[in-house]
Amino acid sequence: MCRRVRDAGFSGIFTRFRDNDPLSTRREDAARLKALLADEGVALFQTTGYWQNLVTSDETARGQSVRVVQAALQLAGWMGARGIDTGPGSMNPAGPWFPHPDNWTARAEEQLIRSLRECAKAAEDAGVFLSLESHSLVTPRTPEIAARILDAVDSPWVRCDYDSANWITLETIYDTGGALNAHFDLLGRHICSAHAKDIWVENRLAIHLQDGCPGKGVMDFPTLFTRLEALDADYPLIAEGNSSEELSDVGALFHRIAREGGIRILDVGDKPEAAR
């Protein structure tokens, strides 16, 4: 996998160990992965936070969710990851990114702030960013709400993982560059990484915005590249929504956009600790 990633022009990965358990994974297994990635010259930019329900009013369930995220941060540190990506979870039992009216209540926001505060020390101890990803279907459904939550948590280790598609609406689908600029203007101080995902509106009588492989929709990736680069040249931009078969095309697209924008992408032969 590492060699396929390098061949496609990428310097690192974001990986999800969905069937793994951060509460029981052995440190020696994490060290083995860390050594393998180092040997292959591939950085581990993010791992998953296991998408726990951090907004529930059930304190027993919320407490367990916090413990899993805390363990995910520790495990990410053992693996040498820069950060973890986690959503807030959802009250919808069908999945952590699906809609539910209780996701959008003041109580859910309060619980999310509490949960993130309880995870902040684990992030600091591990030296790993806890990067909150948001979406219009979950509690931080707008960038304004996300900014309010992260301001309340007030930790340099609890940050925003900005996903290019997740806050695009019908009103902004044909001006994604304007939407990106507005989001970065509001949240730039919190952003520490980004997911590059495309989006388009489909020809249906019910509104349907479909996200997917970069290059297939209307996302203004040059603006995304430029705004993230302006925050910090070391912040990673992570391709999302593509299949393994599409990886090379996405790599070529991203290298072209960066080249045209005068942005340096980490060469696959460079050391990951110098990653940009």
Side-chain angles (χ1 to χ4, degrees):
M1 182 183 71
C2 289
R3 291 165 190 169
R4 185 170 69 244
V5 165
R6 292 203 322 267
D7 288 346
F10 291 89
S11 58
I13 58 172
F14 166 29
T15 189
R16 300 183 177 100
F17 297 103
R18 285 177 173 164
D19 296 329
N20 209 347
D21 182 356
L23 295 166
S24 62
T25 301
R26 300 181 307 169
R27 186 166 188 168
E28 52 264 38
D29 292 333
R32 177 177 176 270
L33 174 64
K34 182 178 180 179
L36 184 152
L37 293 173
D39 288 345
E40 295 293 334
V42 172
L44 183 54
F45 289 122
Q46 281 183 338
T47 62
T48 184
Y50 297 84
W51 297 334
Q52 299 298 296
N53 187 345
L54 301 175
V55 302
T56 178
S57 293
D58 182 332
E59 280 300 298
T60 299
R62 192 193 65 83
Q64 178 62 17
S65 294
V66 167
R67 283 189 289 275
V68 171
V69 174
Q70 290 170 337
L73 287 160
Q74 181 184 63
L75 177 57
W78 291 347
M79 292 188 293
R82 179 182 183 272
I84 71 167
D85 169 88
T86 190
S90 172
M91 294 305 296
N92 189 326
W97 294 103
F98 293 154
H100 191 282
D102 291 345
N103 289 346
W104 308 315
T105 63
R107 177 62 173 166
E109 186 173 326
E110 292 167 2
Q111 291 294 81
L112 179 56
I113 292 169
R114 181 179 178 188
S115 297
L116 293 173
R117 284 175 175 168
E118 291 174 7
C119 293
K121 183 63 164 55
E124 181 178 5
D125 289 346
V128 170
F129 289 119
L130 195 174
S131 302
L132 179 68
E133 184 172 354
S134 302
H135 193 284
S136 58
L137 299 182
V138 292
T139 301
R141 66 187 185 276
T142 67
E144 289 80 8
I145 295 173
R148 185 168 68 224
I149 290 168
L150 292 171
D151 283 343
V153 175
D154 192 24
S155 168
W157 292 99
V158 180
R159 306 288 292 278
C160 171
D161 181 79
Y162 179 76
D163 189 299
S164 58
N166 285 0
W167 281 320
I168 298 299
T169 66
L170 184 64
E171 290 71 29
T172 60
I173 189 68
Y174 295 118
D175 182 21
T176 58
L180 292 175
N181 280 322
H183 299 165
F184 271 82
D185 288 347
L186 182 63
L187 268 172
R189 66 191 182 279
H190 292 299
I191 293 170
C192 69
S193 58
H195 288 175
K197 188 168 62 181
D198 218 328
I199 192 165
W200 55 92
V201 60
E202 295 193 335
N203 293 328
R204 303 189 189 186
L205 294 182
I207 297 170
H208 184 77
L209 303 182
Q210 180 62 52
D211 60 8
C213 179
K216 293 192 173 182
V218 296
M219 182 56 61
D220 186 346
F221 287 115
T223 293
L224 177 62
F225 277 53
T226 301
R227 292 304 303 258
L228 190 65
E229 175 79 358
L231 291 180
D232 195 314
D234 288 335
Y235 287 176
L237 182 68
I238 300 166
E240 188 177 17
N242 55 276
S243 66
S244 295
E245 292 73 24
E246 295 166 325
L247 192 63
S248 294
D249 289 341
V250 173
L253 172 67
F254 285 2
H255 276 269
R256 177 179 60 78
I257 293 171
R259 184 171 60 252
E260 291 174 352
I263 297 170
R264 176 180 177 265
I265 294 181
L266 177 71
D267 295 330
V268 293
D270 290 351
K271 293 293 184 183
E273 58 266 24
R276 292 180 175 169

